[in-house]
Each structure stands twice: as structure tokens, then as C-alpha cells.
Amino acid sequence: MAIASVIGLLAVVNLPALRNGGFVDPALERDEQPPAAWLDASAALNALPDGYRVLQIPGTEFGAYQWGYTVDQPLPALTERPLLTRDLLPLGSPAAMDLVFALDDRVQDGTLDPAAVAPIARLLGVDMIWLTNDVQFDRFRLARPELVADLLAHGGVDGLGEPTSFGEPTVMLPQVPYIDEQLLGDSRIGTAIAPVQLLPVSESVPTVRVKDEIVVVSGSGDGLIDAAGAGLIDGAELIRYSASLDSAEIAEALGTGTLGKGASLIVTDSNRDRAHHWRSSQDVHGATESGGPEVDVLRFEPADQRLPVFATGEAAAQTVAIQDGPVRAAASAYGEPFAYLPEHRPVMAIDGDPTTSWVVADRSSALGEFIRLDVSSDFDHITLRQPDSAPGTRVITDIRIDGLGDPIRVALDERSLAGDGQRIDVDGAANSTVDIVITGTSAPQPPVAAAIGAVGFTEIELGLAPTVEVIRVPTDATSATSANRASYVFSRLRADAQDRFRSDPEPTLNRQFDVASDMTSNISVTLRVAPSASDQLLAALFDERGQASAHLAGTPSARGHAAVDNDPASAWITPFDNVVGQSLTNLGDGSSSSFRITQLVGDFSPVTKLRITDSEGTLDVAVAGPDVTIELPRQVDVAQASATILEIDAKQTIDRRFGEPVVLPAAISSIDFVGSAIDRSSVFAANAECRTDLLELDGQPLGVSVAFGLDAALSGDSITVDVCEGELELDQGTHRLSTAAGHTSGIDIDRVVLQPAEPASTATSAIDPTQTVLVESGRHDRIVDVPPCPTGCWVVLGEGFNDGWTASTLEGTLPGPELVDGNANGWWIAPTNTATTVEIRWTPQRTLTVALFASLFAALGAIAIVVLDRRRSSDVAHTAAEPKLATWKLNARRSIGIVGAIATITAALVAGWAWAIPAAVIALVAVVVGRVRVLALAGWLIVTGVSLSVVFVVAVERPFPNAGWPIRFEWLHGWTLLGVTLLMCSALADRRLAKPVTSKATPELAPANE
């Protein structure tokens, strides 16, 4: 980021401290020593056997806790045990960080399958999990500690033991007000929990281990998480990524060669071709891209920094998106500038689904953003439909259509905001490329006005069929061999259902996969009641009364039925910031002239006026308190009646995403019409027969049995069932599997697993990977005793894959290392019936040591030269003859030209090749004028101009000072680097070149001591 922007950011950050008369943020103050709970838990870690690691959950961007802010993680200073944690930036090898981040991403998003934790911990060499319950979750919007602790430490999670708690159970309160859907809709929030809990991993595997059971996985760290959650791996196997092998190695690993003895294969839908940023712990992944030459995001995004887990990025080894239809969509950007929101990717505007949209520029300028359509057929119109939005929010008012001859400028009116949208007649030919550019919006550019939400299109219709996005899983392994039948794990990308700013990136599972040879397969399905389901869908599923127009995001227990269920603890809770106008229907039978309304008291906006509507008309009534009985002026037909919120006593909070005020929801616990009869029960409508509207394979429906208990359905718990058809025959070739969207069916299918009816391999392991094999451990080497390996085995060093490690036996150096277990170094040992001693050594240390000593000697030599020179400088100055160093002449303009050339090359290397052009122009002016100070003056003007630009934008726009606001000045970055380069190069030039060139004579250079 531009230097001026950094200075401005520092100024903004320090404003509160300056106002308080000091320079220290009170939030950074803490006790000198960590609390006793941390010290005691650290001592317990130190008492554990060596050879394992500790995994900290949840990850944190910085060390922020209820007891203080340490910036860096404090645990490494409290224990000698190696630590694995998610920090803001990856602090280890790409593969290891990919696996750790894949696990923690699910913790942060609230989508973690607890069954995956123990197998992944074994792959990472972890024997103990540190639950950081006293994390300051509100500072960086981290996962709520009560939910994480309940998920993992409540007991009953396979592979995890009973937790040991440290410290008195405490309610973990936010440091700033943090009122959200989880606080209002989840009863676990606010329960007292221990500050730290240690959770043991059963059958833990040491960091250094030996394995002989091979599993090849097509995918990445996300695929290992999904395979572990599905029960296909338990961490005792040796994992080989197919993307790290060539086709011959894959065939050998799945056969009977030296790389494996008939390894099994698991194909996942991970290793996606998608963007990744490191700016926060949430919203870090972009949309799945095509993996080919086509570009899905048409504007360069500098925050896209993907981990290079694999040396090659071949599309066959990746999971990629295929846009199957007559139109292909790409865009300049999507979602927010500071977060990846893949649910708003361009294809969502051409998929024929009015519930999905391409939107862009959330909380930023939308002018100039565009969506590009590659159209394969003739078309005569473009119909644009904008997303539904609340009155007063920002919408698109003007667009420009490029690519169909002369630019077509269109003003969008109310037709684009309702119905089928606004039709624009055009003359479009097949194979056209059309850009729809946003040229105007309805509100001033942010953040001057409040209406600064994202804009875009829910549907762009050209009279052609919709385009279906199909996710094609890796094909590298299935195309390399037919020796083994594969298992397949397909997982739908989800977001936290209670995050009102997000929706699921994948509303459905739509997968394309290859089968290497004919196979008989069992299919299991993991499903849940859709958290996004409307009240109407939930009422049909639960066979109940009382439906609301909308309820609290992702919280089925807050649906309309909660207002008529006769339970004072439950309530219909409206969405945030969209309270007035929400209504309840299906409130009972019969007629009544009065009703009682009860509201929850607390962090809610009380309802002060209701409108009761039936077939006879409307009645507006005041609500004078949280528990009142209201007399109506006439009898109301309750069966036809609805109750609509007309007025509220609006209470506000500051949302923790954008720092903007938001209206708290209303919460009606009961609305009971006196004398009216109503069935208050809820029974999940489990279909005795299989539902055939949820899952299809190759276009043929598969029956799925749906049977939940009501409590499990409301809490979001999932169940895993087999398809009703039993075993299915899959032919060799390409297949497609698809599911229904939860917002239309009421049921979300989150995961589908296909397994061979008969195991691919019956080989048993001769090696116990949990046994200790490490004999000696030094700073730079390890000595390992490998037991007899009758069929060959792998020795594994699980300290993060790095090819700087080498391994050798008495017979010589072992080939490798190879990436194994998703994060570790592995060396293959040929079959042997005797024990083998393996020495593992960190080879770069010798080179580093030599370099350190060379640096030391150079520094000592420089100091000696300075000391000796100072001792004799005064005598030499008086006695030595004047040296004749100026033995050649140099033209001054040529000297300035050399300095200018250096500045031009430096600008190209530092700022980018495009910046060599203005640098060369300024250098040419300096040569013509004959003064090197032209470079300095230009550099000063550039840096000053950048600084003034930042000050002006901050003063006028007053951007919210979150971590993303410097992006507003990203366009100044190159200018700042250019200005600094010019200043630096001019400062290094000979001072006499600053004088104007007045003569063509070539001056002699002065003696060096002048």
C-alpha cells in the first residue's frame, strides 16, 4: 500500500489515543503474566511425552484474549511443545498451512464436522488440542467460543477424549457490543465455560512415524477434512496427493509397485481453482474458477495470493467450474472489495434462479464495474432484473452495453426492479462478447450516503436457456489407472447460516466425475433441514400453524410458529434492520375480539403498533407494553387474519462487519387470540416413503429417506442416510450428480459419499503408526528406528513438507522427500524383514552457518577498517600528497543520463514495467535541463501529491477505518514507489550534478578528498 496511505492509516488508528491525551491504546494494556489458567495448561502440556504437537483451536489473526492483547501468539513462550495454529498469515510450508487453514476455516464458518478433527490431528502429529475459550472473539469476528467448546468438548466425538478444564468457568463477554443472530437465536451463547480446555486425541500418531497403508487422495487439505468427516480416513494411513504425482506414479501407487501396494483412491471436490486472501479469518476463498485459459475475474486482484501446494497447476488435478449453457459469464469483480463472497459470482446472473445474483462493489464505488457475457447463439434482447432491495438502498440507474456495435446507453427504471425485469432490444449475433457496464447508481458514491450496498443483477435473460454451473472434480487419478475402484466425497460449500451477510456459495451440489471402470457403489447422503428455508417450507415440513413473512437469519427455531406454540421461552424473531412490515399468518381458527401479545425483553426493538387484517378490513392497534391484552373494535376472522408490524421502538446496535448502525429485530413470544382454537403442536413430516425430489444421478432421481427428530431439525443437526435404491451400478465414463436447493425443498444435502460395494483392497497393515520410532532428536537431525517392513513402508517426518530435509540409511541416501499425509515429508523404504536405522538431516543448515560466519567476519572487518582509518586520518590529511584520481573526463549530461537510467530501471523493477515510461520521461527532462535535481523535484511532487490525495479523500469521504479502507488508495501505490525511486536515485548522485550545465567543456572530476 502507498506510503501515504500507511501514514494516514496510522493517524486514523491513533486518533482515539490522541483524543485521550496519550499514545497507548487502552485495549493493548494487559497484565505482565498470562492468567493462571494458561500457565497451568502450559505446565500440563510440558508434562506430556515428547514427539507430538499441540493444535490450537480456534485460530486467531492476532493474540487477542479476554485478559489482554499480545499481538503474537503467547503459547510458544509458555511451552516447549511444538504449536500448530492458524495465524493471520501462513507461518509454515504451503501444504501444512493448507491443511491447518482448511480445518480452521470450517471452525470460523460454523461448518466443521467434529468427526474430522481426530483423523486430521493424527495426520498433523497432534496428541492434544488446546481450546482457547477466552479468545477475544469480537475483535476479529472469530468463532464464538461457546459454540466451539460445545461442538468438540461436550463428549461423544469419535477420537477425542474428555477435556481437562483450566480456570473458573466464565461467561466470555465481548469487549465491544456484539449483538448478532447467534446471540439472539442460540441459547448456548452466554453460558459459562472454562478459559482453556485441553482435549486429548486418542490413538495419536507421533510427528515422526512409519506407515505402510497407502491412500491416494485427489484433492487438497479441504478434501482430507471431508474424507475424514465421512469416515474414509482415520489418520493412520499414509496419504498421497494425486496432484503431487505424475500419471505413472499414480498408476504405480494404485497398483502393486514400489510406491504402494494396491493403494485405495479417494476423489474429492477440493483443490479448487479459486482465489485466496490473507486479510482476515473469514470470507477467505473466492469462487471456483474454470482452470483453463478463460479468466473469471477480469480485473487484477492483488490480494489473491494462493498457496502453491503443488508444483503444477494442471486442470486435471484441480476441481474446476464448467458453465454449461449458451452463455458464459465473467465480471470485473464480485461481492466486496475486502472479502470474497463466491455466492455472488457472475454465473449467478445467468443460471435462471431468481434467488441468486451477481452483485459487486459492496460498500464501494460501483461505477465502471461490469459483467461480460460470451454468447454462443443469436439473440434479440437483453432483459435485466436487479435484486430485490429495501426502499432507499442503492440500485443501478444507468448502464452501457458494449460489444454490439456502437455503445448502447440505457437508463434502468422501475421495470428492472420488479417482475421479469427491463427488456432492451438488441441485435446480437452468435459468438458475441457483450459487456454490461455500470455507469450510474441511485445514491452518491460511498460512504457519503447510507445506501452503499452491493448492486448487480439477479437475472440477465437473453431468450436462451439458463446456464448451469457444474463443478468438475479432479480427473488425474481416474484417468491414470483402472486398477482400483474409487471412493468419492462431494461436499457442498456452505457459509455460517446465521451470518446475515452471507449465503451458501453452493445452493446445490452439482458434480461431474469420472469412473475409471465399471463399479457397484453404495451411496450415503448427509442432510439437514435447510437453515435458509422459509416459514412456509418449515410449516409444511413440520405440519404446524403460524407462519411469518421472514425470521431471524439461519435460525428455524425463531420461525413464526414460535409465536403460537404456547412456549414462553421461544419467540418469533424478525430479521435485523428489516422489522417494520413483517407479518404473521395462520394464527388459528374461529373468531375473536381480543388478543394477548407477549414480547421478549432485552436486545430487541419492541413492537408499538400492529395491523390486524382479515377479509373485513384492517385494524391498527397500539401495543403498550411487552405483555398486554388488546381489545379489538370488532370480531376478527382469525383463520383469515394476519398481524403486521407497523411501528417499533427502534433500538440499534453497531454491526461488527461494517461498523454501521443496524436496527435490532423484534421478538414476539406469543400472540394468542382469545377464544380461538389452534393446534400448537409441531411434528416433523417424515415421509414414510423415500423422497425423490432431492437427489439425481445422471438425470435419474434417487430416493432419500428423511427422518429427523424435531429438536435435531431445529438445531441444524445432520443425519446420514443411504439412498433407498441400495447398491447402484456405475458404468465406466463420466457421470453427473445433482441435488435440490434447500430454499426450495426445505432439505439441504451437504455431502454425498460413493463407496465401492466391495473394498478396493483387502491388504492389512504390518506397521502400527502410533508406535514411537524416534530414537534421537537434535536441532538439525533425527535418528529413527524403522521396524521390519515386509511389503515396504514410509518413514514420515511431520514437521511441514520441505525438500531441505534428506534421509539416509547405511545403504545410502533415500530418494525424496515426497509430500505425504497432507503436510509432511516422506521417504520410501524398500521391503525388508529387518529393522532399519534412518538418519534425517536438515541440509540447508550447513550453508546457512557458513553464510552467518561470513557475515560476521565481514562486519568485523568493516569495523576494523573504520577504527584504523579514524586513527590515521588526521596525519594522512597533512602529510600525504594530493592523489591524482581524476584521470578521465566525463560529460555532466551523460552522468545525469546514467542516474536517470538507473532510476528508470529501478522503477520498472520496484513498481512495474509500466512505470519505466514516466521515469524515462522525467530522466530525459533532467538530461535536457542539465540538472539532476529535476529527478528530486519530480519525486517530491509525486509523493506530496499522493499525500494530499489521501488527505482529501479521507476528509471528504470519511471512510470507515477498517483494515480494508487503504484499498481505496491502491491506485496510488505505483505513483508512490515511482516518487520514492526518483528521490532515492537523485540523492545518490554526485552533488555537483545539481548545478546547471553552463559550458560544453567537460569538467575534470575533483580529487576524492575534496
Side-chain angles (χ1 to χ4, degrees):
M1 181 50 57
I3 292 176
S5 300
V6 175
I7 295 173
L9 178 59
L10 293 176
V12 172
V13 170
N14 280 290
L15 280 178
L18 293 173
R19 294 192 186 107
N20 292 329
F23 291 90
V24 178
D25 185 349
L28 301 181
E29 295 180 352
R30 58 176 175 82
D31 294 336
E32 181 178 359
Q33 293 294 328
W38 277 67
L39 298 176
D40 294 344
S42 300
L45 285 181
N46 291 332
L48 295 174
D50 293 333
Y52 300 87
R53 301 196 279 190
V54 59
L55 173 64
Q56 188 178 38
I57 294 178
T60 61
E61 297 176 26
F62 295 96
Y65 306 97
Q66 299 281 330
W67 47 269
Y69 190 55
T70 61
V71 183
D72 292 326
Q73 299 294 339
L75 195 52
L78 302 178
T79 177
E80 296 181 356
R81 201 167 190 79
L83 171 67
L84 279 171
T85 187
R86 187 235 185 92
D87 214 310
L88 177 63
L89 297 175
L91 301 179
S93 65
M97 292 296 95
D98 175 65
L99 184 55
V100 170
F101 275 73
L103 180 67
D104 194 68
D105 284 344
R106 286 163 169 74
V107 175
Q108 304 295 346
D109 293 339
T111 61
L112 176 67
D113 185 340
V117 176
I120 299 304
R122 298 184 186 111
L123 291 177
L124 293 169
V126 167
D127 69 337
M128 189 67 68
I129 295 173
W130 177 296
L131 290 182
T132 313
N133 295 331
D134 57 356
V135 66
Q136 194 180 124
F137 60 91
D138 54 303
R139 180 179 283 266
F140 302 112
R141 295 192 300 117
L142 303 176
R144 293 234 183 207
E146 301 97 328
L147 304 185
V148 178
D150 181 69
L151 181 70
L152 298 178
H154 71 282
V157 178
D158 289 343
L160 300 180
E162 290 296 321
T164 301
S165 299
F166 297 86
E168 290 295 323
T170 306
V171 176
M172 302 302 168
L173 298 175
Q175 304 297 309
V176 296
Y178 194 10
I179 304 174
D180 62 358
E181 284 79 359
Q182 288 183 338
L183 176 66
L184 300 182
D186 196 319
S187 61
R188 295 173 293 177
I189 303 299
T191 57
I193 54 176
V196 176
Q197 291 178 293
L198 293 183
L199 196 58
V201 179
S202 61
E203 299 180 1
S204 53
V205 176
T207 307
V208 180
R209 61 260 188 179
V210 178
K211 295 182 175 182
D212 65 346
E213 182 182 356
I214 317 296
V215 174
V216 176
V217 174
S218 287
S220 59
D222 289 289
L224 295 185
I225 306 293
D226 295 333
L232 298 184
I233 61 174
D234 64 8
E237 315 87 344
L238 183 113
I239 304 297
R240 309 250 17 225
Y241 283 139
S242 64
S244 64
L245 307 172
D246 60 32
S247 58
E249 290 172 325
I250 293 173
E252 188 177 18
L254 297 177
T256 57
T258 58
L259 293 178
K261 54 181 194 314
S264 58
L265 172 64
I266 301 174
V267 179
T268 72
D269 49 9
S270 62
N271 192 25
R272 291 176 179 250
D273 178 26
R274 61 179 176 178
H276 193 291
H277 77 77
W278 308 99
R279 298 174 294 196
S280 68
S281 299
Q282 300 83 32
D283 313 328
V284 298
H285 290 294
T288 304
E289 299 175 5
S290 61
E294 299 89 355
V295 178
D296 299 279
V297 179
L298 303 172
R299 181 178 296 130
F300 172 68
E301 171 54 73
D304 181 2
Q305 301 293 330
R306 313 179 191 200
L307 279 176
V309 177
F310 305 111
T312 61
E314 295 183 3
Q318 292 183 305
T319 294
V320 299
I322 301 172
Q323 295 189 26
D324 186 7
V327 183
R328 185 186 184 279
S332 56
Y334 58 87
E336 292 180 33
F338 192 62
Y340 286 128
L341 305 180
E343 58 267 34
H344 298 313
R345 58 196 180 274
V347 72
M348 295 305 213
I350 58 173
D351 62 355
D353 183 353
T355 65
T356 62
S357 304
W358 167 71
V359 297
V360 69
D362 199 359
R363 271 68 180 179
S364 66
S365 173
L367 301 183
E369 302 289 358
F370 64 94
I371 184 169
R372 175 169 295 172
L373 308 177
D374 292 321
V375 189
S376 62
S377 303
D378 294 341
F379 58 101
D380 62 3
H381 70 273
I382 299 175
T383 299
L384 302 176
R385 174 64 157 89
Q386 298 191 57
D388 294 332
S389 57
T393 54
R394 186 171 60 158
V395 296
I396 301 172
T397 58
D398 298 277
I399 63 165
R400 186 184 72 246
I401 300 176
D402 295 334
L404 299 177
D406 294 336
I408 304 172
R409 300 184 182 276
V410 180
L412 299 185
D413 53 35
E414 294 298 324
R415 292 173 296 170
S416 70
L417 302 173
D420 294 331
Q422 181 173 341
R423 177 178 171 127
I424 305 165
D425 291 324
V426 297
D427 185 12
N431 301 318
S432 297
T433 296
V434 180
D435 287 351
I436 302 175
V437 185
I438 300 172
T439 57
T441 59
S442 61
Q445 292 306 302
V448 177
I452 57 176
V455 295
F457 301 106
T458 186
E459 279 301 309
I460 302 176
E461 188 267 329
L462 286 76
L464 306 174
T467 293
V468 177
E469 183 184 56
V470 180
I471 303 300
R472 195 222 68 199
V473 305
T475 59
D476 56 342
T478 51
S479 62
T481 181
S482 60
N484 287 77
R485 298 175 181 178
S487 297
Y488 299 83
V489 183
F490 303 140
S491 299
R492 187 173 62 88
L493 295 183
R494 297 185 286 138
D496 185 350
Q498 291 184 307
D499 184 351
R500 65 180 175 276
F501 300 103
R502 294 293 311 273
S503 56
D504 289 342
E506 290 185 326
T508 65
L509 268 173
N510 200 0
R511 299 292 184 266
Q512 177 177 303
F513 61 99
D514 288 351
V515 173
S517 59
D518 296 348
M519 64 180 289
T520 303
S521 176
N522 293 322
I523 302 181
S524 62
V525 179
T526 300
L527 45 82
R528 73 184 72 236
V529 171
S532 61
S534 66
D535 267 51
Q536 289 69 33
L537 272 176
L538 294 175
L541 285 173
F542 301 151
D543 191 21
E544 62 186 12
R545 306 293 291 271
Q547 289 120 52
S549 54
H551 61 258
L552 194 68
T555 313
S557 59
R559 69 202 186 281
H561 176 76
V564 299
D565 64 357
N566 208 27
D567 180 359
S570 67
W572 166 49
I573 305 177
T574 71
F576 276 77
D577 219 27
N578 185 17
V579 182
V580 174
Q582 300 294 343
S583 62
L584 280 171
T585 58
N586 198 5
L587 298 173
D589 296 316
S591 61
S592 176
S593 61
S594 64
F595 68 94
R596 179 184 178 186
I597 179 172
T598 305
Q599 302 183 64
L600 296 184
V601 177
D603 295 320
F604 302 100
S605 295
V607 176
T608 58
K609 183 181 255 188
L610 280 176
R611 171 168 290 171
I612 307 300
T613 304
D614 66 358
S615 56
E616 297 297 322
T618 61
L619 299 172
D620 294 347
V621 295
V623 180
D627 187 359
V628 295
T629 298
I630 299 174
E631 298 292 335
L632 298 173
R634 62 173 176 84
Q635 290 286 114
V636 170
D637 183 357
V638 180
Q640 300 295 323
S642 66
T644 303
I645 299 174
L646 277 189
E647 294 179 6
I648 59 173
D649 179 10
K651 296 182 179 180
Q652 292 185 334
T653 187
I654 301 298
D655 82 65
R656 294 292 291 145
R657 188 180 184 98
F658 298 112
E660 297 168 352
V662 59
V663 176
L664 291 173
I668 297 179
S669 176
S670 173
I671 182 167
D672 186 9
F673 283 85
V674 178
S676 171
I678 183 172
D679 180 4
R680 303 181 186 274
S681 64
S682 292
V683 179
F684 192 88
N687 197 336
E689 299 179 357
C690 291
R691 287 188 60 167
T692 58
D693 62 331
L694 302 178
L695 179 65
E696 287 187 354
L697 179 62
D698 296 329
Q700 298 300 314
L702 298 178
V704 177
S705 177
V706 179
F708 284 94
L710 183 62
D711 290 341
L714 294 177
S715 64
D717 292 346
S718 63
I719 60 171
T720 300
V721 299
D722 295 327
V723 296
C724 302
E725 287 77 2
E727 296 180 356
L728 296 176
E729 298 295 330
L730 291 176
D731 298 333
Q732 177 183 2
T734 301
H735 298 267
R736 281 194 182 181
L737 180 142
S738 60
T739 67
H743 62 261
T744 60
S745 67
I747 301 294
D748 273 332
I749 292 183
D750 296 336
R751 184 169 64 209
V752 177
V753 178
L754 291 81
Q755 290 182 271
E758 296 182 3
S761 174
T762 59
T764 58
S765 175
I767 301 293
D768 180 6
T770 65
Q771 66 181 331
T772 301
V773 294
L774 183 64
V775 176
E776 183 179 331
S777 178
R779 294 189 64 183
H780 310 131
D781 55 14
R782 312 284 187 271
I783 305 298
V784 182
D785 272 352
V786 180
C789 302
T791 58
C793 57
W794 289 80
V795 59
V796 179
L797 174 64
E799 297 183 10
F801 176 75
N802 193 302
D803 56 14
W805 290 100
T806 62
S808 60
T809 66
L810 293 177
E811 285 74 25
T813 302
L814 296 175
E818 303 289 342
L819 173 59
V820 300
D821 284 355
N823 75 109
N825 308 273
W827 293 270
W828 169 256
I829 296 179
T832 176
N833 292 318
T834 60
T836 305
T837 299
V838 177
E839 181 180 9
I840 304 174
R841 181 172 295 276
W842 176 248
T843 55
Q845 187 59 41
R846 182 179 304 170
T847 304
L848 177 61
T849 301
V850 172
L852 290 174
F853 275 107
S855 300
L856 175 63
F857 292 145
L860 292 176
I863 294 172
I865 291 173
V866 170
V867 172
L868 293 174
D869 183 71
R870 289 179 61 85
R871 291 179 59 185
R872 65 185 182 87
S873 59
S874 58
D875 294 337
V876 171
H878 290 90
T879 62
E882 183 175 303
K884 299 291 185 178
L885 298 180
T887 59
W888 52 279
K889 298 178 179 180
L890 186 65
N891 182 277
R893 282 195 173 88
R894 187 183 304 170
S895 300
I896 297 172
I898 293 174
V899 175
I902 294 173
T904 301
I905 296 173
T906 304
L909 295 175
V910 173
W913 292 109
W915 295 99
I917 298 175
V921 172
I922 295 171
L924 182 61
V925 173
V927 171
V928 172
V929 175
R931 298 190 68 174
V932 78
R933 281 182 177 174
V934 171
L935 299 178
L937 179 61
W940 180 83
L941 289 174
I942 290 173
V943 173
T944 302
V946 167
S947 303
L948 293 176
S949 297
V950 173
V951 172
F952 176 79
V953 171
V954 171
V956 173
E957 295 187 357
R958 302 182 63 81
F960 182 72
N962 62 9
W965 79 270
I967 294 176
R968 174 68 178 81
F969 310 104
E970 194 165 16
W971 67 279
L972 295 172
H973 179 64
W975 285 110
T976 304
L977 292 177
L978 174 62
V980 172
T981 298
L982 294 174
L983 287 170
M984 179 187 68
C985 291
S986 63
L988 296 177
D990 192 306
R991 67 180 184 277
R992 289 165 302 166
L993 297 179
K995 300 177 181 178
V997 179
T998 59
S999 173
K1000 294 184 178 180
T1002 304
E1004 291 188 357
L1005 294 179
N1009 64 346
E1010 271 194 358

